[in-house]
Amino acid sequence: MPHNGLIRYFFFFNRERVIVTSPKALAEVLVTKNYLFPKPDAVRTSLGRVLGYGILLAEGDEHKVQRKNLLPAFHFRHVKSLYPTFWRKARELLDAMEVAVRAGDDDDDGAVLEVNSWASRCTLDIIGVAGMGVDFGAIQDENNPLASTYINLSTPTRQAKVLMVLGMVLPGWLITHLPIKRNDDINAAAQLIDLRNHAYA
């Protein structure tokens, strides 16, 4: 049945939700009229604890100022100049995965690679080199503390799902103070990331 790019449904506690599916509507929500669609408090609270309230989570005038300041960094010529970095890190990733495959060939079950983890480590290295001039070495070290922290934070544990649901009905400040392990993990991760950022600044 045609839905004209909008799918309406009801979420927990009968809360109304809309999924935007058409390219035109997505362009309005994300680009042309994005200031009319502020991010949910639950999303801002959960991501802001680790990422801070930068360009990704800022709203209104604050977002406009940050976007204007960051615009030169996303100019086509600047991005194009980073192609060699992207290519070099992609080749490094493939070489490291090939080494892992060869090492796994000695096992009875053969080699099994978890691609999402490899991609995350490569992305972190690219961000470090392109944005900070620092190679985190996450591709070469699967136990890299910074990479492990980001991967653990993005893993949808049971407690993370519970917090997400509670965030739909409870204020953010209360969610962050609930005495559960997930909150402790997020706080520890935020401290580690902040320390690393200051170390590389």
Side-chain angles (χ1 to χ4, degrees), residues 49-50 145-146 149 153 181-196:
R49 294 172 67 185
V50 178
L146 199 57
T149 298
L153 285 176
K181 184 177 182 298
R182 180 66 178 181
N183 274 332
D184 293 337
D185 291 344
I186 292 174
N187 291 335
Q191 289 180 357
L192 174 64
I193 292 170
D194 189 52
L195 286 173
R196 292 293 173 123

Side-chain angles (χ1 to χ4, degrees), residues 7-26:
I7 300 175
R8 176 175 174 262
Y9 69 100
F10 290 94
F11 196 57
F12 286 104
F13 302 103
N14 213 33
R15 293 190 169 200
E16 188 177 22
R17 292 288 185 268
V18 175
I19 297 178
V20 180
T21 62
S22 75
K24 182 179 179 181
L26 283 169

Side-chain angles (χ1 to χ4, degrees), residues 20 22-37 39 63-64 67:
V20 180
S22 75
K24 182 179 179 181
L26 283 169
E28 289 190 358
V29 172
L30 299 175
V31 183
T32 59
K33 299 180 181 178
N34 60 312
Y35 293 116
L36 298 178
F37 302 96
K39 300 169 190 68
H63 183 271
K64 291 178 182 178
R67 185 178 66 180

Side-chain angles (χ1 to χ4, degrees), residues 42-176:
V43 173
R44 283 174 51 81
T45 299
S46 60
L47 292 178
R49 294 172 67 185
V50 178
L51 302 178
Y53 294 92
I55 187 71
L56 181 64
L57 299 175
E59 298 284 2
D61 291 337
E62 182 184 357
H63 183 271
K64 291 178 182 178
V65 170
Q66 292 192 25
R67 185 178 66 180
K68 182 179 179 181
N69 291 336
L70 288 172
L71 201 56
F74 293 96
H75 191 278
F76 175 73
R77 288 182 182 176
H78 179 69
V79 174
K80 187 177 180 180
S81 71
L82 295 174
Y83 285 2
T85 298
F86 300 156
W87 182 256
R88 178 168 53 83
K89 278 297 175 181
R91 290 298 302 268
E92 182 183 340
L93 173 66
L94 291 176
D95 291 342
M97 292 176 73
E98 186 176 352
V99 170
V101 167
R102 288 178 179 169
D105 284 342
D106 296 334
D107 298 335
D108 294 335
D109 296 331
V112 178
L113 299 183
E114 205 287 294
V115 177
N116 186 55
S117 172
W118 283 98
S120 297
R121 287 154 56 189
C122 182
T123 301
L124 185 62
D125 272 0
I126 289 173
I127 291 172
V129 174
M132 305 178 189
V134 176
D135 192 335
F136 295 132
I139 292 176
Q140 300 300 331
D141 181 10
E142 63 179 333
N143 297 315
N144 180 286
L146 199 57
S148 298
T149 298
Y150 277 114
I151 291 171
N152 289 339
L153 285 176
S154 63
T155 302
T157 63
R158 184 176 180 181
Q159 286 193 356
K161 294 175 183 176
V162 170
L163 284 181
M164 184 183 300
V165 173
L166 290 177
M168 302 296 175
V169 294
L170 298 176
W173 65 266
L174 180 57
I175 297 294
T176 60

